[in-house]
Amino acid sequence: MISDETIRNLIAQAITARENSYSPYSHYQVGAALLAEDGQIILGCNIENAAYTPTNCAERTAFFKAVSEGIRSFLAIAVVGSPAGEEITQFAYPCGVCRQVMMEFCDPAEFLIIVAKSQAEYVCLTLEQFLPNGFGPDNLGPSDRQEE
Ligand code: THU
C-alpha cells in the first residue's frame, strides 16, 4: 500500500514530466511518473512523430526507460494530460496499448494507476480495474517467460 504523500509526490512529478512533452501534432501533453518497487521514480512524457504511428505515450516512455535501465518491478504510476496551454481539467486515462504494456510487468491486482487533475483531485484504481481479464505473461506459462 502506498501513502497519500507518495501519491501526491507522484502526481507532482507527473506534472513536471508533462513539461517535456513533445507533441507538435496533437498539442496534447501527457506526463507520467512511475514508482518502482525500490523507490525510484522514472518520468515519461509523450513523444510524437511526423509519421504519426511511431508516437509513444508518456506511460510507455516511463516503462521503457525503466526496463531499459534494468528496473522491472513497479508499484504505481501517476498520469496527467491536457491540451497544451490549458489547465489540467480532465482525467487522461491510459490508452489500451499502455495498459497492455503495464500488464507485462505488473501484478494487475496490485499495481496502482493514479490519473490526476491535481494533487488533490485524482482517481486511483488497480491495473485490473482498468484492464479486466487482461492477457499477460502468465497465460504463456512460467517456463515460457524469458527472464534474462
Ligand atoms: N497519449 C499518452 O501519452 N498517453 C495516453 O495514455 C493517451 C494518449 C498521447 C499520445 C499522443 O501524443 C497524444 O496523447 C494524443 O493522443
Side-chain angles (χ1 to χ4, degrees), residues 42-119:
I42 303 94
L43 303 184
C45 64
N46 56 329
I47 304 170
E48 299 189 344
N49 190 281
Y52 291 9
T53 54
T55 291
N56 210 50
C57 291
E59 300 91 318
R60 275 179 290 142
T61 300
F63 268 89
F64 295 157
K65 279 176 65 182
V67 173
S68 69
E69 297 291 337
I71 306 164
R72 292 186 186 173
S73 299
F74 306 103
L75 297 177
I77 190 169
V79 186
V80 297
S82 65
E86 287 184 20
E87 296 295 307
I88 302 168
T89 57
Q90 59 175 267
F91 292 120
Y93 295 107
C95 79
V97 173
C98 289
R99 295 176 199 201
Q100 185 63 38
V101 168
M102 294 175 197
M103 188 74 197
E104 186 66 27
F105 296 103
C106 306
D107 179 344
E110 297 292 333
F111 184 73
L112 296 176
I113 301 173
I114 302 145
V115 184
K117 290 184 187 176
S118 69
Q119 284 176 289

Side-chain angles (χ1 to χ4, degrees), residues 4 28 67 139:
D4 288 350
Y28 190 85
V67 173
N139 288 94

